[in-house]
Amino acid sequence: MSDLIVNVAVPKPLRATFDYRLPDSLPRPRPGARLKVPFGSREIIGVCLGVSTEAATATPLKAVSAVLDADPALPADVLALVSWAAEYYKHPIGDALATALPGYLRAGRQLQDLYERWWRACPGETGQIPARATKQRAAFEALSRAGPQTQSALRAQGFDNRVLDALAARGLAESTDAPPAPPTATRDGGLELTAEQATAVDALNAAAGDFCAHLLEGVTGSGKTEVYLQVIANVLAAGRQALVLVPEISLTPQTLARFEARFAAVGAYHSALGDAERARAWDGCKSGRLAVLIGTRSAIFVPFKDLGFIAVDEEHDGSFKQQDGFHYSARDLAAKRASDLRIPVVFGSATPALETVHNAESGRYRHLRLTARTGAAAPPRMQVVDLRGQSLSEGLSRTLLSALKSQLGAGNQGLVFINRRGYAPSLVCTSCGERSDCPRCEIPFTVHRSPPTLRCHHCLAQAPIPNVCAACGFDGLRPIGFGTQRTEAALVSAFPDVPVLRIDRDTTRSPQALEHRLAHIRRGQPAILVGTQMLAKGHHFPRVTVVGVLNADAGFASADFRAPEHTAQLIEQVAGRAGRAERPGEVIIQSYDPDNPLLAALIADGYQGFARTELTHRRAAGLPPFRAMALLRAEAAEQAPALEHLRTLLEPIEALADVERWGPVPAPLARRANRFRTQAAVLARSRTVLGRALNLVLERAASIRRRNVRFSLDVDPFDMV
């Protein structure tokens, strides 16, 4: 019997690791290797954290069933990053490690099974092949002419295994289990840089070989992507690799296309890919076959052979924060990974997160600015339309309708932004005032007209649209408020001769559906886009010259302290779709509160003016980024047990200095899918102090077992809802 003990993290939400005995028949695993181990009544895939000669318990240990990796799936740097993240976000290490692995590897499969055999020609002449071996000669010529090919591709040309093996025996061909490494050279030299772009590129190139975090704050259309491309060209020339994180790659296919046009070895990593595709990208980065990876938040955990640069594009976007399970921020982990590897990282945005702005103002990040659009494009002209006392046409002001008519008549395009799906936010009886609510959430059903249904956007419940009021029997039910469907219908009525294209989650359930609509816009004929925040995510619409923003007030009046920031970012980002070519643009913002100081600062001084104003408010209120915050959530079938659970968990930190707690209270969305939701915030003067307080909370949680109460912890929450 072996006396080696393996410490294993298992993919369960358990704040513990487990010791297993290593049989003499199995090789000694290295930290980061996958293991098959018995757990309960079945076998699961865990990750080795270390090997020792002493067990943490005297209880007889189960044996490891199999060691799956000779070369660890998670190299030392990635294992350290995930371990740090699990501690920082107070998440079980086994579940965090499972999140970091692609599904193909979580299932216990082997990377070599992903690939066909590839064949390539070796130096030699056809004269070495006997005259009668015509198949061998033809196969050698095909490999010499076309380069490496898969065995199935060669078989389709009539070259079977005997032919290829014969070539290999003569030293004229060889095979591998993985595709050959493509060239990593830059395909072209890129665009001519503006002076500001050149300054940014020089600063990022000068930081090569050491850690330095940069904020690249550039107005929409200022050419941030070209800065990334030219810096990455230098990274590849030095023989290193680059990682580019984007919020939602399926919404910005042009990003991937631009990188593939510039570089030869580019891969993608995002949830729309199949398990095998993701695993091939993972292995390509780990082996060095891929030089550049474009990925969404989970790509922060992909191993690289020699990572030399990280860019986080649209770093303000909430998609970088995982909202359930392992609540990590890929943006913040990018800074940690760059620091660990001693490489530069750049955070790019026209509307950077206030935490990032604060880091730049305090000197932690170097601040690079792109203040002008490239080419002949000028910033759009912004105006606020005071809706007080105005008569609207289905939520559209006369000012906006007139601007759309003028620009469409000149052959241009328009965009109308309303960040609410469906036809209307609620259905109300005009007799008794009864509202059609979701019975599982006790919030209004959203009215949808295509197809006609009432839908809850939180629990996804659906119901038919009633003909009469359930409370009084009156048949005068009226949709109240506006969503994308209703705005689309209003625009079709106002402009019957112009295509109106709606872009929201209902019309673009696949990347192909989105691309179909975007292709129509790119053709350049007059058209109107109407949609949600999907329209704000980096799209380039050169013929859009007027943008209308409906319902701009909602975010500024929200109970969530981060909502004004998110609202200002959305307004600025969607406004940036206007006037991106030589045609001037205008942005019309409809508001019932035009004197709101945050909106006024945004209009008068741009996003920088808004950020200064809002950071002043945050500092006075002791809110992030000036204090560290965590959000504790509990939910149950009844509200009282959830509130009581949070009160009990918070007891150990009541007397701590430099720690403040808010709540517990019912969550803003107090009931969802028949579960009552409660929450409490914990704030501290530093992340270190907050971490110690949360450890006490988790110790109390480990000693309490309340059935039917779910508890979660979110460090650095993105929103409070």
Side-chain angles (χ1 to χ4, degrees):
M1 179 180 292
S2 171
D3 59 357
L4 289 181
I5 307 300
V6 184
N7 187 236
V8 181
V10 299
K12 300 289 182 181
L14 303 171
R15 299 183 185 276
T17 59
F18 300 86
D19 285 342
Y20 288 84
R21 177 173 53 83
L22 183 70
D24 290 330
S25 58
L26 295 181
R28 178 171 178 159
R30 293 160 55 191
R34 293 172 303 143
L35 309 172
K36 183 180 289 186
V37 296
F39 194 85
S41 60
R42 61 192 187 94
E43 291 189 326
I44 61 176
I45 306 302
V47 175
C48 172
L49 297 180
V51 179
S52 65
T53 57
E54 293 185 5
T57 175
T59 304
L61 300 178
K62 295 181 179 181
V64 173
S65 302
V67 176
L68 301 180
D69 301 317
D71 181 30
L74 294 171
D77 65 303
V78 178
L79 183 61
L81 177 71
V82 180
S83 299
W84 182 91
E87 168 58 27
Y88 179 81
Y89 293 105
K90 306 301 178 186
H91 194 76
I93 180 64
D95 197 51
L97 289 167
T99 300
L101 285 168
Y104 190 92
L105 296 182
R106 289 199 303 270
R109 303 176 71 180
Q110 296 295 332
L111 288 170
Q112 57 263 34
D113 296 336
L114 288 165
Y115 304 109
E116 286 189 88
R117 294 191 68 77
W118 282 71
W119 288 85
R120 65 182 179 185
C122 295
E125 300 293 337
T126 55
Q128 298 174 242
I129 303 172
R132 65 181 181 277
T134 56
K135 284 276 191 180
Q136 292 180 40
R137 180 177 289 105
F140 178 75
E141 290 173 348
L143 287 171
S144 300
R145 180 179 61 255
Q149 298 182 56
T150 64
Q151 189 153 324
S152 61
L154 291 165
R155 190 182 303 114
Q157 298 172 58
F159 309 129
D160 60 21
N161 292 356
R162 289 178 301 171
V163 171
L164 299 171
D165 289 341
L167 279 181
R170 299 181 191 282
L172 294 176
E174 64 180 6
S175 65
T176 62
D177 288 329
T184 59
T186 303
R187 297 188 194 275
D188 62 64
L191 305 176
E192 183 177 350
L193 298 176
T194 66
E196 289 182 326
Q197 286 176 312
T199 298
V201 169
D202 290 344
L204 290 164
N205 286 339
D210 200 1
F211 170 66
C212 185
H214 305 77
L215 165 58
L216 180 62
E217 185 176 4
V219 299
T220 53
S222 60
K224 294 182 288 295
T225 302
E226 185 63 30
V227 171
Y228 308 149
L229 288 164
Q230 299 215 13
V231 172
I232 289 172
N234 285 333
V235 171
L236 303 194
R240 308 192 74 181
Q241 297 163 288
L243 169 63
V244 181
L245 295 178
V246 295
E248 296 183 57
I249 201 166
S250 62
L251 300 183
T252 54
Q254 70 267 27
T255 301
L256 185 60
R258 286 191 65 181
F259 279 83
E260 288 177 331
R262 190 73 62 88
F263 305 118
V266 177
Y269 194 85
H270 55 89
S271 59
L273 300 175
D275 280 354
E277 290 178 286
R278 284 164 64 93
R280 277 191 282 268
W282 168 282
D283 187 50
C285 294
K286 189 169 184 276
S287 66
R289 288 192 302 274
L290 288 180
V292 181
L293 184 68
I294 314 295
T296 49
R297 61 175 174 261
S298 59
I300 191 59
F301 299 119
V302 171
F304 285 80
K305 185 176 182 180
D306 187 10
L307 185 59
F309 176 73
I310 301 175
V312 184
D313 193 34
E314 305 295 350
E315 63 85 34
H316 66 278
D317 197 287
S319 299
F320 287 122
K321 181 67 187 283
Q322 176 71 27
Q323 296 295 336
D324 53 21
F326 182 19
H327 291 277
Y328 69 92
S329 165
R331 179 196 68 196
D332 296 346
L333 288 183
K336 172 61 178 172
R337 188 169 190 183
S339 176
D340 289 346
L341 296 176
R342 309 304 305 170
I343 62 173
V345 58
V346 61
F347 302 98
S349 177
T351 56
L354 294 187
E355 287 84 357
T356 308
V357 173
H358 179 62
N359 282 332
E361 291 181 347
S362 63
R364 293 185 63 195
Y365 293 178
R366 182 172 181 182
H367 203 162
L368 307 172
R369 289 185 171 89
L370 303 178
T371 61
R373 290 181 163 185
T374 58
R381 181 176 63 88
M382 299 179 73
Q383 65 168 312
V384 177
V385 175
D386 186 351
L387 298 183
R388 293 173 297 187
Q390 278 209 33
S391 176
L392 303 180
S393 173
E394 291 291 273
L396 304 170
S397 66
R398 289 190 297 272
T399 303
L400 177 56
L401 289 170
S402 175
L404 285 168
K405 181 178 180 180
S406 174
Q407 292 298 328
L408 293 169
N412 297 321
Q413 298 171 339
L415 185 155
V416 176
F417 171 71
I418 176 168
N419 204 26
R420 189 182 291 275
R421 290 163 50 211
Y423 185 81
S426 62
L427 185 68
V428 175
C429 174
T430 57
S431 176
C432 70
E434 181 74 9
R435 191 178 65 184
S436 296
D437 283 356
C438 170
R440 292 158 49 87
C441 301
E442 294 182 350
I443 59 171
F445 268 127
T446 298
V447 182
H448 282 249
R449 284 288 177 87
S450 54
T453 50
L454 297 178
R455 300 185 196 175
C456 177
H457 290 171
H458 295 281
C459 75
L460 307 183
Q462 296 190 26
I465 297 177
N467 294 319
V468 297
C469 175
C472 70
F474 185 63
D475 62 359
L477 301 179
R478 176 174 296 176
I480 303 299
F482 302 92
T484 50
Q485 291 181 1
R486 190 170 190 174
T487 301
E488 175 192 26
L491 290 168
V492 168
S493 176
F495 303 99
D497 299 325
V498 176
V500 178
L501 306 173
R502 175 162 56 91
I503 293 183
D504 56 24
R505 294 293 181 192
D506 297 317
T507 62
T508 57
R509 296 190 181 278
S510 70
Q512 293 76 21
L514 172 64
E515 184 58 29
H516 175 75
R517 284 166 168 75
L518 297 182
H520 189 106
I521 286 292
R522 294 191 193 105
R523 287 197 286 270
Q525 289 90 2
I528 302 174
L529 276 167
V530 57
T532 60
Q533 60 183 313
M534 294 176 67
L535 293 175
K537 294 179 181 285
H539 300 293
H540 180 61
F541 304 133
R543 300 293 291 251
V544 169
T545 54
V546 59
V547 167
V549 178
L550 312 186
N551 195 24
D553 303 322
F556 291 124
S558 172
D560 183 352
F561 77 92
R562 292 191 187 274
E565 174 187 359
H566 300 161
T567 300
Q569 289 165 341
L570 273 175
I571 291 175
E572 190 76 7
Q573 290 283 341
V574 77
R577 303 312 110 198
R580 291 174 67 94
E582 71 280 357
R583 301 165 186 244
E586 60 179 320
V587 180
I588 296 168
I589 301 172
Q590 299 187 169
S591 174
Y592 284 102
D593 186 18
D595 300 322
N596 183 298
L598 292 173
L599 179 59
L602 182 67
I603 300 301
D605 301 315
Y607 185 77
Q608 291 182 1
F610 164 83
R612 286 193 300 269
T613 302
E614 181 64 0
L615 281 172
T616 299
H617 295 166
R618 295 267 192 97
R619 185 189 295 273
L623 291 167
F626 301 100
R627 284 200 295 178
M629 173 183 276
L631 199 63
L632 284 65
R633 296 184 174 98
E635 61 176 62
E638 301 291 338
Q639 189 177 89
L643 287 170
E644 181 58 30
H645 189 63
L646 288 184
R647 289 191 191 99
T648 304
L649 297 186
L650 291 167
E651 285 174 356
I653 67 172
E654 286 182 353
L656 290 183
D658 300 317
V659 174
E660 183 179 358
R661 64 177 240 190
W662 296 350
V665 295
L669 179 59
R671 188 183 178 198
R672 179 176 179 177
N674 283 330
R675 302 281 293 181
F676 285 88
R677 306 164 71 245
T678 60
Q679 63 188 43
V682 179
L683 296 100
R685 62 178 175 83
S686 70
R687 286 179 169 82
T688 301
V689 173
L690 178 65
R692 288 199 293 263
L694 295 179
N695 286 338
L696 295 175
V697 170
L698 292 175
E699 287 176 12
R700 174 62 63 89
S703 67
I704 297 173
R705 292 290 183 266
R706 273 200 175 92
R707 296 183 64 185
N708 301 321
V709 177
R710 299 173 190 162
F711 166 69
S712 65
L713 176 60
D714 187 359
V715 178
D716 301 335
F718 181 75
D719 63 56
M720 304 290 287
V721 177

